[in-house]
Amino acid sequence: MKLTQKQSGFTLIEITVAITVFMIFTGIVLSSFIHLIGVQIEANRYRKVYSELNEILALISTDVKEYAIDYNCFKTAVCDPNIHNYQVQAFVSKDGLERHILSAKTKTVEELDFVDLEYAVQTRASRQNEWPAVIYRKLDTANTEFLQFDLTLRPTSNPYDVETRIDSKNLYQPSLTINALARAKAYPDRPGISMQTTVSSRFYNVRF
């Protein structure tokens, strides 16, 4: 009797099942990879938001530490809170020849409040001269938008006009508390980053 040799290989059903399993596995791996890339991109954006927020807080903190709070500015149209519906803080150099002004203006877009930060630098030749016109530049951030930016100054009255003893000068040390809430422009539906810091001035009994 002549025996026929049995053919080895995969049936069509086996190949179909194998391809289906492979495609499912590939889809799961690809989906996980895409999700991981998305999470990494979002994390990078938030790192940039945190970095930009830190840069702005560092700028203001440097002004508070190295300059004096210009309480006299509140008596002028530049900083008078009774004139403006936004927050303004001014910092003047110890020699009285340079002044930095920060404004935080709230605007409403589609029923949401946003804050625009603007910054100005003024210089004058002597203390007897008037300050030049204020020319603001926007503190623009590529990745960040501010939902809140509150500036709280203590004390609110001018402590530099008070004669104090050296052992009690800390009582009259001005400080500025900054409370900020920022979020990534690319992810408006994500939670924002909240940051608060209090910075004290290093100058005492300065007269301008």
Side-chain angles (χ1 to χ4, degrees):
M1 178 182 293
K2 187 176 180 180
L3 298 176
T4 58
Q5 187 176 1
K6 187 177 181 180
Q7 299 291 328
S8 62
F10 298 102
T11 65
L12 180 60
I13 295 177
E14 291 174 331
I15 294 174
T16 303
V17 171
I19 292 175
T20 302
V21 171
F22 175 76
M23 290 180 65
I24 293 174
F25 176 76
T26 303
I28 293 174
V29 172
L30 184 60
S31 177
S32 299
F33 179 75
I34 293 175
H35 176 71
L36 182 62
I37 294 297
V39 170
Q40 186 175 7
I41 292 174
E42 184 174 350
N44 287 336
R45 289 284 177 86
Y46 268 96
R47 275 195 291 269
K48 291 178 181 178
V49 170
Y50 186 80
S51 176
E52 290 174 349
L53 180 56
N54 263 330
E55 287 178 5
I56 290 179
L57 293 183
L59 172 67
I60 301 173
S61 297
T62 299
D63 277 350
V64 176
K65 292 176 182 178
E66 298 184 1
Y67 287 66
I69 303 294
D70 187 7
Y71 284 90
N72 291 335
C73 187
F74 295 119
K75 303 175 184 178
T76 68
V78 175
C79 302
D80 190 347
N82 297 317
I83 296 178
H84 305 293
N85 59 351
Y86 53 86
Q87 301 177 82
V88 182
Q89 290 292 338
F91 315 93
V92 63
S93 60
K94 192 172 183 179
D95 59 11
L97 302 182
E98 183 173 328
R99 184 167 71 174
H100 299 172
I101 302 175
L102 172 73
S103 72
K105 301 179 180 179
T106 302
K107 63 179 181 180
T108 302
V109 179
E110 296 180 355
E111 299 183 354
L112 290 176
D113 289 339
F114 298 92
V115 180
D116 283 337
L117 298 179
E118 295 181 333
Y119 193 76
V121 177
Q122 297 174 299
T123 58
R124 60 185 180 182
S126 70
R127 296 189 182 191
Q128 286 69 39
N129 294 349
E130 296 292 331
W131 290 107
V134 179
I135 301 177
Y136 283 109
R137 65 176 177 87
K138 187 176 180 181
L139 292 179
D140 201 9
T141 50
N143 303 280
T144 308
E145 56 188 6
F146 292 96
L147 304 178
Q148 178 183 346
F149 205 94
D150 295 329
L151 304 170
T152 304
L153 178 64
R154 292 186 177 87
T156 55
S157 58
N158 190 349
Y160 300 130
D161 292 337
V162 181
E163 294 292 342
T164 62
R165 296 181 305 171
I166 190 169
D167 58 351
S168 63
K169 63 183 181 181
N170 287 335
L171 180 64
Y172 303 100
Q173 183 181 19
S175 66
L176 184 67
T177 298
I178 307 164
N179 189 9
L181 176 61
R183 72 180 183 186
K185 292 179 180 179
Y187 303 102
D189 57 334
R190 298 289 198 275
I193 297 175
S194 180
M195 189 176 295
Q196 179 175 318
T197 184
T198 299
V199 189
S200 297
S201 174
R202 295 177 179 175
F203 295 104
Y204 310 94
N205 298 335
V206 181
R207 293 177 178 273
F208 302 110

